Amino acid sequence: MSQFLVLRLADPVCWIIVDADGGRIGPVSTGNLADAAPLAAERPLVVIAPAASVTFAQPELPVKGGARVAQIVPYAMEELLAGEVEQFHFAVGRTDAEGRTLIAAVRRDEMQSWLDALRTAGLDPQSIVPEPLCTPDNPGMTVAVIDAGHLLVRAPGALPVALDAEPLTEAFALAGLEGEDRHVQLYVSQEDWQHSREMIEALREVTGSLDLQLLPDGTLPLLAAGSVRGDALSLLQGEFARRTGWRAEWQRWRIAAFLALAALALHIGVRGYDLIRLRAEEQRLDASIEQAARVAMPDVERIVDARAQIEQRLAGGGTADPQGLLARLAAVGGAMGGASGPTIESLGWRNGSLQLQMIAADTDALARFAQALTARGLTADVESTTPGEKGVSAQINITTGPAT
């Protein structure tokens, strides 16, 4: 059997479980919204909105339905609203046999505050029905409900009315309940009956008939039965329509999605900054390489590819001289391995000659180094020697020809 949790937005909040026909299953409970959440997790939630927050109209619209109704409704309600139409949310009900369409209007900010409070408490309403529309509809009598200082009235073929019930006699007159042709079915909560018994009984004298029914558990069981009717107008329409499927999931995960998108944007921004920084570093290194290439190859007018041009120059030097730079450096490395002591401070290559600036402990170490080079087919010409604190500094010129 289908069950519904019907929750009334009042002070305090109250709720009850009913079946699909509106018959009560459990007791009336009161508390805060969070207290009702466990019950709502197991059955659909129907919310009853306060009567004072909703304005009703029943205009004859020039269109029967579709998207154009949403455009026309605000203008049809404009004169009935206390404020700009842009501040209101409109819900469209059924059209009767005379072509009149039921319209309910509620302030957008108030509607949003209800939904925010419900969702904060973990409640997802299936529908939100205005309180006056939950009043029983009796085609032969005017139905009135007195509850907590309010009077709800629903006459056959007329819009529901919500009035302040203080003073009660004036409220009866404003609601059109007085007259010999008025037949009233009046529902009264036990508390209101005790408070206003004499005035309620006096209504019998000014109406054609009065059918009085006391509600010991308050008016919620009565209103709950009307809220679950299949034709009950729900305020969850248009921008506030209940979303299902991927739309509902999007609402649930949209904050996480925005955070993920922000993280992705930050990641892309950081990577973009790194690329720009590395590109600038690459340009700086290219400039340094080109500058070094110009120093190494002063006779070259245009540097296009410094690495390739230097390799070509080195390869060309090796072709012109079988004992080229690379071979000569290899021989120097071998000679230094066999003659301990000398270290290279600097070297240069010019016109097929390798020039070394070396430091040795003494001249004997330099002589052994020169002999090691001679053994490898090279000639080491010690051009100058200078004694110093670290040893003997020597300028050595290495060629392939005879020693000078």
Side-chain angles (χ1 to χ4, degrees):
M1 180 176 61
S2 299
Q3 296 182 1
F4 294 87
L5 177 66
V6 179
L7 183 147
R8 188 180 187 185
L9 295 176
D11 187 16
V13 175
C14 55
W15 60 86
I16 190 173
I17 299 174
V18 300
D19 59 25
D21 296 324
R24 63 183 296 176
I25 296 176
V28 175
S29 302
T30 60
N32 55 47
L33 292 175
D35 294 332
L39 295 174
E42 302 173 0
R43 50 188 63 85
L45 173 64
V46 176
V47 174
I48 299 178
S53 301
V54 186
T55 302
F56 298 97
Q58 207 169 23
E60 293 185 14
L61 302 178
V63 293
K64 299 299 181 182
R68 291 190 61 193
V69 171
Q71 301 173 355
I72 297 172
V73 164
Y75 300 100
M77 297 282 290
E78 188 171 10
E79 296 181 358
L80 301 174
L81 302 175
E84 300 295 331
V85 294
E86 292 79 7
Q87 299 174 344
F88 287 83
H89 164 65
F90 301 94
V92 181
R94 291 189 175 185
T95 301
D96 62 16
E98 299 178 4
R100 298 176 303 176
T101 303
L102 177 62
I103 306 296
V106 60
R107 286 188 174 274
R108 277 193 172 89
D109 55 355
E110 189 166 12
M111 183 75 177
Q112 188 63 59
S113 69
W114 294 340
L115 292 174
D116 290 342
L118 289 167
R119 289 167 180 163
T120 299
L123 297 170
D124 181 20
Q126 174 179 280
S127 62
I128 299 180
V129 183
E131 194 172 54
L133 297 182
C134 299
T135 306
D137 186 10
N138 189 330
M141 302 181 72
T142 299
V143 178
V145 180
I146 301 176
D147 179 38
H150 292 88
L151 176 64
L152 305 178
V153 179
R154 191 167 190 175
L159 287 172
V161 177
L163 300 172
D164 189 348
E166 298 294 339
L168 189 57
T169 53
E170 292 184 10
F172 286 158
L174 288 174
L177 300 182
E178 299 179 356
E180 291 296 328
D181 59 342
R182 295 291 186 260
H183 302 279
V184 180
Q185 185 176 20
L186 181 62
Y187 296 91
V188 184
S189 67
Q190 189 71 37
E191 182 179 350
D192 284 284
W193 168 251
Q194 294 175 355
H195 182 265
S196 308
R197 180 173 181 175
E198 294 182 0
M199 288 182 286
I200 294 172
E201 287 291 356
L203 186 61
R204 295 183 186 278
E205 301 177 2
V206 294
T207 61
S209 64
L210 178 65
D211 180 9
L212 178 62
Q213 296 188 33
L214 298 181
L215 304 173
D217 292 330
T219 59
L220 179 58
L222 177 71
L223 299 176
S227 70
V228 298
R229 291 197 306 260
D231 60 348
L233 182 150
S234 174
L235 297 176
L236 294 179
Q237 299 183 19
E239 62 183 295
F240 295 108
R242 187 168 183 264
R243 292 172 173 82
T244 58
W246 69 269
R247 289 185 175 87
E249 293 301 319
W250 163 248
Q251 291 295 323
R252 180 182 303 177
W253 293 102
R254 61 179 179 176
I255 295 178
F258 287 145
L259 291 176
L261 185 61
L264 178 61
L266 178 62
H267 175 76
I268 293 175
V270 171
R271 288 291 175 257
Y273 171 77
D274 287 342
L275 288 175
I276 294 174
R277 181 178 58 81
L278 292 174
R279 179 60 179 169
E281 183 68 14
E282 181 184 18
Q283 292 176 347
R284 186 186 68 79
L285 291 175
D286 287 344
S288 298
I289 292 172
E290 181 176 346
Q291 182 179 6
R294 291 191 180 279
V295 172
M297 301 183 296
D299 56 324
V300 177
E301 297 181 358
R302 183 183 180 190
I303 302 296
V304 179
D305 185 343
R307 180 187 180 110
Q309 288 177 269
I310 291 175
E311 289 180 348
Q312 184 178 7
R313 174 63 61 88
L314 293 175
T319 302
D321 179 9
Q323 298 292 328
L325 174 61
L326 297 180
R328 210 158 300 182
L329 289 175
V332 169
M336 291 181 65
S340 59
T343 59
I344 297 176
E345 286 192 322
S346 64
L347 60 82
W349 175 262
R350 184 180 297 275
N351 299 325
S353 175
L354 179 60
Q355 298 174 348
L356 301 179
Q357 182 71 36
M358 304 191 73
I359 291 290
D362 48 37
T363 55
D364 290 340
L366 292 174
R368 290 193 297 271
F369 175 70
Q371 292 174 0
L373 287 176
T374 302
R376 287 168 172 76
L378 298 176
T379 299
D381 186 7
V382 180
E383 296 182 342
S384 64
T385 57
T386 303
E389 295 180 359
K390 297 181 180 180
V392 179
S393 176
Q395 180 74 35
I396 302 175
N397 187 33
I398 303 173
T399 62
T400 57
T404 59

